[in-house]
Amino acid sequence: MATESTQDIPAAVMPTYGRIPVSFVRGEGSYVYDDTGKRYLDGLTGIAVCGLGHAHPKVAAALAEQASTLLHTSNLYRIPGQERLAVRLTEIAGMDNVFFCNSGAEANEAAIKIARLYGHSRDVDAPAVVVVDNSFHGRTMATLTATGNRKAQAGFEPLLAGFVRAPYDDIPSLEKIAANNKNVVAVLVEPILGEGGIRIPDAGYLDGLRAVCDANDWLLMLDEVQTGNGRTGRYFAYQHTSIVPDVVATAKGLGNGMPIGACLARGVAAEMLVAGTHGSTFGGNFLACAAANVVVDELTEGGLIERAAELGDRMQARFRAALRGNNRVKEIRGVGLMQAVELVEPCTQLIGEAVEQGLLLNVAADSVIRLLPPLTMSDAEADTLVDMVVGLIESLDS
């Protein structure tokens, strides 16, 4: 599997990743190709990033045109593409305004800063945000603290104050916090736990969160970094319900590979960040917004969001038929093109075995095969993806 270019990663690269020894040089649609010419079906899309697939012609054209015109002036001046993107996203999300940044972690940082400003505006001296177990919000100090994963936090103490932890999908625990902690001003939660293993809450969970937040004048802040941009069969996952949050953070699929994040807000939350309170040198730059505007247009006008829902149903039905009665399978679950097969035991070795067979996938929470394929995938490609994963699972018995 290893190629000459990746067997010995230079010491100059800080070893923050356990990199798989394969080097990709180009992509096309649902496939990527390594430096030996081998083709791989991409069931991960850069961790829910390339929703339009690789080398999308409209994205490529928009980037080339923008790169030949103007790349950067900073946010000290108007950026027409950013303004168009802001109007489109706020209309889609039911929000009032948006702050652009470069990543999901930064979008969540902006949400946390909004919550703290909101708390101080209510004369709360030490504003706190409720976060949930097994969540993932980023690697910056604030988002790392908010993350419900002790393994990710280890060694980075002291963590930040101002966070209260609760179980996921547990409204009674939230009501208990409301009764006993007067410093809480907001809740930050993923509608579906992504890094936590594609954990899907009960149908009434988001409605319950909204009700508790309304009863206590808290902000409801949703981390849609992974679930947003059509991934679940709606533009945002909360749109499967009737609720509207106060703050939404998104990134990943928004740029189809170009780094861009967005923190959207409405109502009082939209009034918190003003000139001098927050900023980003590169956030919402010409190049990133050129890509993101194409992504939004393709998602909303090309039927890809509905397609994600259809493909997700197709894949899940095929998984259930093929794996029925398999004692290694604990659960098959998913919404749209966030699909998971949870096994009864750790299966991280399948990542490397999949690469050997020409497939890219991920294992979350040690035992959950996580699939985040492109929304542009054909029926045949989706069927092949399922068949290859089923083959990997069945090979565990051999």
Side-chain angles (χ1 to χ4, degrees):
M1 177 175 66
T3 64
E4 183 179 350
S5 62
T6 55
Q7 283 178 341
D8 298 306
I9 297 174
V13 178
M14 198 172 289
T16 55
Y17 293 92
R19 298 183 195 272
I20 297 169
V22 59
S23 181
F24 299 115
V25 295
R26 70 181 181 92
E28 183 179 358
S30 299
Y31 293 91
V32 289
Y33 298 78
D34 71 15
D35 50 5
T36 70
K38 181 178 175 179
R39 188 177 76 162
Y40 301 76
L41 181 60
D42 192 353
L44 190 59
T45 58
I47 316 179
V49 169
C50 298
L52 302 188
H54 298 284
H56 189 280
K58 291 184 180 179
V59 174
L63 289 173
E65 180 180 358
Q66 189 62 59
S68 66
T69 306
L70 185 64
L71 286 179
H72 181 75
T73 60
S74 86
N75 281 294
L76 297 176
Y77 313 99
R78 294 183 65 173
I79 302 174
Q82 181 189 110
E83 293 172 11
R84 178 179 184 270
L85 182 60
V87 170
R88 295 286 282 118
L89 284 178
T90 53
E91 287 176 347
I92 291 167
M95 296 284 128
D96 293 333
N97 58 22
V98 55
F99 171 81
F100 288 109
C101 49
N102 310 286
S103 67
E106 290 174 67
N108 284 325
E109 283 275 350
I112 292 165
K113 290 182 74 172
I114 286 172
R116 290 197 171 186
L117 285 169
Y118 172 68
H120 287 296
S121 75
R122 296 176 54 203
D123 296 322
V124 177
D125 291 334
V129 176
V130 176
V131 292
V132 303
D133 297 335
N134 299 312
S135 61
F136 183 84
H137 299 294
R139 300 278 188 177
T140 62
M141 283 307 299
T143 59
L144 180 67
T145 304
T147 290
N149 183 332
R150 182 63 196 135
K151 183 178 178 180
Q153 296 169 339
F156 295 105
E157 299 84 355
L159 300 176
L160 301 184
F163 295 94
V164 178
R165 306 199 180 277
Y168 183 63
D169 196 16
D170 188 336
I171 296 301
S173 72
L174 199 62
E175 293 171 334
K176 185 176 181 180
I177 290 171
N180 293 285
N181 193 325
K182 301 307 177 184
N183 286 329
V184 172
V185 297
V187 175
L188 175 62
V189 67
E190 298 167 84
I192 297 170
L193 296 184
E195 298 298 319
I198 307 188
R199 304 291 176 182
I200 303 167
D202 290 340
Y205 182 54
L206 291 186
D207 295 274
L209 287 176
R210 181 73 273 178
V212 173
C213 288
D214 288 344
N216 293 279
D217 292 325
W218 295 351
L219 300 179
L220 175 55
M221 309 195 302
L222 297 183
D223 176 348
E224 294 241 20
V225 171
Q226 190 167 141
T227 55
N229 304 295
R231 176 72 34 197
T232 70
R234 297 287 191 275
Y235 198 96
F236 291 107
Y238 69 83
Q239 292 171 331
H240 288 281
T241 75
S242 61
I243 69 106
V244 181
D246 301 295
V247 179
V248 182
T250 193
K252 286 191 180 290
L254 181 57
N256 208 59
M258 278 301 301
I260 184 169
C263 180
L264 299 103
R266 72 178 180 101
V268 66
E271 301 170 2
M272 294 295 107
L273 293 179
V274 297
T277 58
H278 200 40
S280 171
T281 297
F282 295 109
N285 64 68
F286 286 85
L287 198 62
C289 288
N293 274 309
V294 172
V295 170
V296 173
D297 288 345
E298 289 295 295
L299 289 177
T300 57
E301 299 170 10
L304 290 178
I305 296 175
E306 296 78 9
R307 177 69 175 157
E310 294 170 3
L311 278 174
D313 290 344
R314 181 186 184 94
M315 291 176 65
Q316 196 160 132
R318 197 173 180 91
F319 272 128
R320 293 186 185 283
L323 295 172
R324 185 178 294 113
N326 189 307
N327 293 330
R328 290 189 179 275
V329 176
K330 180 178 180 180
E331 186 178 24
I332 298 166
R333 57 180 178 268
V335 179
L337 289 179
M338 293 184 75
Q339 293 291 319
V341 179
E342 183 173 5
L343 304 188
V344 296
E345 59 191 357
C347 59
T348 54
Q349 76 274 18
L350 293 183
I351 298 173
E353 292 175 14
V355 169
E356 292 277 8
Q357 296 182 26
L359 173 64
L360 306 184
L361 52 73
N362 179 245
V363 173
D366 292 329
S367 60
V368 181
I369 300 171
R370 179 172 58 154
L371 300 172
L372 303 163
L375 281 61
T376 52
M377 181 171 274
S378 69
D379 287 354
E381 289 167 342
D383 292 348
T384 298
L385 174 57
V386 172
D387 292 346
M388 293 180 78
V389 172
V390 169
L392 287 167
I393 294 171
E394 291 177 341
S395 73
L396 293 171
D397 292 320
S398 60

